[in-house]
Amino acid sequence: MFQINCLNPISKVGLDRLTADYKVIDNMNDAEGVLVRSASMHELELPENLLAVARAGAGVNNIPLDKCAEKGIVVFNTPGANANGVKELVIAGMLLAARDVVGGIEWVKASRDNADIAKSAEKEKKKFAGTEVMGKKLGVIGLGAIGVKVANTAVSLGMEVYGYDPYVSVNAAWNLSRSVKHVTNVEEIYADCDYITIHVPLLDSTKGMINKEAISKMKDGVVLLNFARDLLANEADVLEALKSGKVARYVSDFPNPTTAGQPGCIVIPHLGASTEESEDNCAKMAVEELMDYLENGNIRNSVNYPACDMGVCSQAGRIAIFHKNIANMLNQFTAVIGEKNINISDMTNKSRGEVAYTMLDIENAATQDLVESLQKIDGVFRVRVVK
């Protein structure tokens, strides 16, 4: 029986997918698998028996990926499971920036005791009128699951949409509307677009990408939308641009002391993926990924190990080896197995950066002696008996 620990409340819809071979426990130290949402794992001691972590969401900056990789712990995320929920909020944020609906609602609240409120509204409404988004130019930076949905929806709203992503996947390209204009330089978006929304992961290369220099290349009165990560924008620079009028509105889903309550900022309390549907979808995908890995050794949507799928093992045994991506590792594995007079019926080897993953189906059950011999090979992080 596999033992699973939840570091955050996980949707019951997802947990209900666990079969009788799984037990949800309270103590992470006894768990083979962990389900997590936003809880930070950087300060936690990772137990030796932990095999996998599944993040019910896309961002994994709360998980020590390198540390997990070195211990042979596979980290999964759930790309696309919450994409529609985030997309809808991005579109709502754009509309709130175009028309000062929030300001208008606050005016109505403040005027609730005015007997002539309807008459007064006719005089005041021009302050909140705003503009339409139809015909405006939207730049989408990052064409992953969310960016593609935002771009396609904006096209249906009659916007002229520009998309930038030097690493766009084949799947994303297939799903992207042909009306979206693909640009090869992000500065084209800065120069031409009335609205700019960012949907990229937080990396050293993307941290603070929306800064004073980038803003200086944008159109006057541009609207910036950030529903990906707050640190993608240098928000001090954004506030300066708001004061000067260079930026008309900054819409963010990440409340913090820098932007909360500041003029020109529409700050939402991190609601992007918080719909009931998104939480259910993320939980279901995370549980399915975790189960397929624990039962079969297959890896799908990992962020620290390569994708690998050998289906369900029909042989007597299956072993998985986590190791450095260096020369001569496969020769050493097969030599050790051959010395034990065990035949390999099928195998696969995949790499990702500095790490690699090898699965082997063998015609005899793996012995402790075999595992220990493989574990002694220089460059091996972990040997796991899947079956």
Side-chain angles (χ1 to χ4, degrees):
M1 178 174 286
F2 295 108
Q3 301 197 99
I4 307 297
N5 173 249
C6 300
L7 291 180
N8 293 104
I10 301 297
S11 166
K12 185 176 182 298
V13 173
L15 295 179
D16 283 347
R17 301 231 164 179
L18 294 171
T19 66
D21 294 325
Y22 293 83
K23 181 181 180 182
V24 178
I25 61 172
D26 294 329
N27 189 353
M28 190 187 86
N29 290 328
D30 297 325
E32 285 100 357
V34 162
L35 289 163
V36 63
R37 289 171 61 199
S38 58
S40 176
M41 297 185 65
H42 289 282
E43 301 79 22
L44 300 179
E45 188 69 32
L46 300 176
E48 290 301 316
N49 51 294
L50 183 61
L51 299 174
V53 176
R55 160 78 162 95
V60 289
N61 55 311
N62 57 319
I63 303 170
L65 301 183
D66 291 342
K67 183 178 178 182
C68 286
E70 292 169 1
K71 287 179 168 286
I73 299 171
V74 182
V75 180
F76 300 92
N77 70 344
T78 57
N82 59 14
N84 190 70
V86 178
K87 175 211 73 177
E88 290 186 1
L89 197 64
V90 172
I91 297 300
M94 184 169 62
L95 295 174
L96 290 175
R99 310 280 293 274
D100 191 8
V101 178
V102 175
I105 291 172
E106 292 301 319
W107 178 87
V108 171
K109 286 182 180 179
S111 305
R112 62 184 178 273
D113 297 327
N114 181 359
D116 294 323
I117 186 172
K119 185 177 180 180
S120 298
E122 291 303 314
K123 296 179 180 179
E124 296 293 327
K125 67 180 183 180
K126 61 180 178 291
K127 296 179 181 177
F128 315 111
T131 60
E132 298 178 15
V133 298
M134 185 175 182
K136 302 300 189 300
K137 295 180 180 180
L138 170 67
V140 182
I141 302 174
L143 296 171
I146 296 170
V148 165
K149 286 183 178 292
V150 170
N152 291 348
T153 301
V155 167
S156 71
L157 291 173
M159 301 186 78
E160 192 175 338
V161 183
Y162 297 77
Y164 170 77
D165 191 334
Y167 308 108
V168 63
S169 69
V170 173
N171 186 57
W174 274 110
N175 291 322
L176 190 65
S177 168
R178 285 181 293 177
S179 298
V180 175
K181 299 173 178 63
H182 185 247
V183 300
T184 57
N185 190 327
V186 72
E187 294 188 3
E188 292 183 53
I189 284 178
Y190 293 161
D192 296 333
C193 292
D194 306 293
Y195 295 82
I196 297 175
T197 180
I198 49 177
H199 300 283
V200 299
L202 180 62
L203 308 170
D204 289 341
S205 59
T206 60
K207 185 176 181 180
M209 63 179 289
I210 303 300
N211 53 28
K212 186 174 183 179
E213 180 182 1
I215 293 170
S216 70
K217 299 173 183 177
M218 297 178 188
K219 295 176 68 172
D220 292 343
V222 67
V223 172
L224 300 176
L225 301 109
N226 180 6
F227 287 76
R229 287 287 180 268
D230 55 349
L231 294 179
L232 293 171
N234 182 321
E235 293 184 329
D237 290 350
V238 173
L239 290 183
E240 285 299 316
L242 284 165
K243 290 176 184 177
S244 70
K246 179 69 175 181
V247 174
R249 290 281 190 277
Y250 176 62
V251 189
S252 167
D253 198 27
F254 307 100
N256 58 54
T258 303
T259 55
Q262 293 297 320
C265 292
I266 300 173
V267 184
I268 302 167
H270 204 192
L271 299 180
S274 296
T275 65
E276 180 179 336
E277 295 88 348
S278 286
E279 292 186 4
D280 288 350
N281 290 339
C282 287
K284 286 189 290 186
M285 186 183 288
V287 167
E288 288 167 1
E289 292 166 349
L290 194 60
M291 291 174 64
D292 192 21
Y293 172 68
L294 293 177
E295 294 172 24
N296 304 308
N298 298 325
I299 297 177
R300 176 168 50 95
N301 293 327
S302 172
V303 294
N304 67 342
Y305 271 96
C308 184
D309 190 343
M310 285 180 59
V312 177
C313 180
S314 59
Q315 295 297 320
R318 173 175 287 181
I319 53 177
I321 307 173
F322 301 83
H323 55 95
K324 292 181 180 179
N325 182 21
I326 53 179
N328 201 40
M329 296 303 288
L330 288 180
N331 287 339
Q332 294 183 79
F333 300 156
T334 55
V336 166
I337 295 171
E339 288 171 3
K340 308 297 181 184
N341 201 29
I342 297 174
N343 189 49
I344 299 171
S345 61
D346 195 8
M347 67 179 292
T348 186
N349 169 264
K350 302 289 183 179
S351 63
R352 179 173 183 159
E354 297 180 355
V355 300
Y357 183 64
T358 299
M359 269 205 298
L360 305 103
D361 285 354
I362 52 180
E363 295 182 358
N364 302 83
T367 63
Q368 184 62 33
D369 179 53
L370 173 62
V371 171
E372 290 176 357
S373 296
L374 290 169
Q375 190 71 63
K376 290 177 182 177
I377 296 173
D378 188 35
V380 170
F381 302 135
R382 182 178 210 154
V383 178
R384 179 190 168 213
V385 177
V386 179
K387 178 184 176 183

